[in-house]
Amino acid sequence: MNKTIGFITVVLCGVMLLIGTADFPDWGDPQSPASRHVSPYYIEKSIPETSVPNIVTAVLADYRGYDTMFETTVIFTAGIACFFLLRVRRKEPEIRYYRHIPTGITLRIEQGAKLPEDSKVFERIDTLYAPHDLIIKTTARLIIPFILIFALYVIAHGHHSPGGGFQGGVILGAAIILFAISYDLRSANRKLSEKAAALLSTIGVFIYAGTGALCLLLASNFLDYGALASILGVDPVTARSHGILIVEIGVGTTVMAVMVWIYYNLSSRGRQDEGL
């Protein structure tokens, strides 16, 4: 019965959406409201008003700054939701596996026994252990630093070239996930722990919202970056460009941290002990 009601609801919503599309302007219609008013204003005014050559970034982080801030909050909320849905805090009888590197012999150690954590001849392995591929590990180790640098470049130059906080954050997160896949989840967790990922995702949102609040304290509107001119020592137009860069850093931080946070929980079924 519930499935039938759900199916009917979905069909009705789909039909309503299809009917609503009849009122849309034709694709590429130069006489549509967006083409006659909104787009020309952004094209003509974005550089004089924000000193940002990338019009898309100017729209996202300045003219439509509220919307983008809440999009960042939605990403942060997704990380929290995955944490509460997937994270397993129940302690189960712990059994660990260690491989003796010189001989390849696997030890199964149950809870309470001494663990060779600091040993150089034993390495902890997952239950479904597969030997690490030397080529994959070496390749990942070589390319990850370049991926990180490129991600920072994308964030830092997002307002002057294609890119921005969302794109750069995704690249940053992908680099860390690549490290976790090529090595193991525990190694990635040592580089960026779950707590650090959660903290960074929060910091990113606060950077964005805090920049807007700072504009309020400077007797201007929320997210009116021109108010930062007195602090940054530049003219109001350049201050808007710098303000966009600051909030893009916040977006990139949140996106990167949430990606890693979600991966940790999904790949380990919430246990954060053994992953893919």
Side-chain angles (χ1 to χ4, degrees):
M1 184 63 181
N2 291 334
K3 290 184 178 178
T4 303
I5 295 175
F7 177 75
I8 294 174
T9 303
V10 170
V11 171
L12 289 176
C13 289
V15 171
M16 292 175 63
L17 290 173
L18 289 175
I19 295 174
T21 58
D23 294 330
F24 286 2
D26 294 334
W27 178 260
D29 182 5
Q31 299 303 318
S32 67
S35 299
R36 295 178 61 186
H37 305 290
V38 181
S39 298
Y41 180 87
Y42 292 149
I43 294 172
E44 295 172 3
K45 300 292 185 180
S46 61
I47 291 182
E49 291 183 349
T50 67
S51 186
V52 171
N54 187 339
I55 298 175
V56 175
T57 301
V59 172
L60 290 176
D62 192 320
Y63 296 113
R64 212 188 68 180
Y66 280 93
D67 189 52
T68 304
M69 185 183 72
F70 286 111
E71 286 176 355
T72 308
T73 306
V74 168
I75 294 173
F76 171 67
T77 305
I80 294 178
C82 287
F83 173 78
F84 283 110
L85 291 174
L86 300 174
R87 191 70 166 93
V88 176
R89 294 186 171 278
R90 184 181 57 197
K91 288 290 184 181
E92 298 178 347
E94 190 172 22
I95 299 175
R96 292 187 176 186
Y97 291 86
Y98 288 86
R99 189 177 75 93
H100 186 238
I101 299 174
T103 62
I105 296 175
T106 299
L107 300 180
R108 181 178 185 274
I109 302 178
E110 298 187 359
Q111 191 174 25
K114 184 179 180 181
L115 302 175
E117 293 286 3
D118 300 326
S119 174
K120 294 183 179 179
V121 295
F122 284 95
E123 65 172 352
R124 188 182 171 189
I125 59 176
D126 294 340
T127 305
L128 302 175
Y129 171 70
H132 292 299
D133 190 289
L134 180 61
I135 296 177
I136 293 176
K137 289 181 65 175
T138 304
T139 304
R141 187 187 304 169
L142 290 174
I143 66 173
I144 284 175
F146 294 100
I147 295 175
L148 295 174
I149 293 173
F150 179 67
L152 296 176
Y153 171 85
V154 169
I155 294 175
H157 293 80
H159 53 320
H160 285 273
S161 61
F166 289 104
Q167 297 85 345
V170 168
I171 299 172
L172 277 176
I176 298 173
I177 293 173
L178 174 61
F179 179 80
I181 294 174
S182 59
Y183 282 75
D184 54 61
L185 186 62
R186 292 181 297 278
S187 298
N189 225 316
R190 285 194 290 270
K191 299 294 184 183
L192 181 65
S193 66
E194 180 196 24
K195 290 182 180 179
L199 181 62
L200 286 173
S201 64
T202 308
I203 289 175
V205 175
F206 272 102
I207 289 175
Y208 204 133
T211 304
L214 182 59
C215 296
L216 280 178
L217 294 176
L218 295 171
S220 186
N221 294 322
F222 189 75
L223 290 176
D224 184 0
Y225 310 125
L228 304 176
S230 59
I231 297 177
L232 300 175
V234 295
D235 60 87
V237 174
T238 305
R240 292 182 71 171
S241 175
H242 293 346
I244 290 174
L245 172 61
I246 294 172
V247 299
E248 291 285 4
I249 292 173
V251 172
T253 303
T254 296
V255 171
M256 178 274 295
V258 170
M259 276 188 63
V260 174
W261 197 7
I262 292 176
Y263 173 80
Y264 282 173
N265 282 300
L266 285 177
S267 65
S268 65
R269 294 181 296 179
R271 289 178 170 77
Q272 307 230 357
D273 189 30
E274 296 183 2
L276 297 175

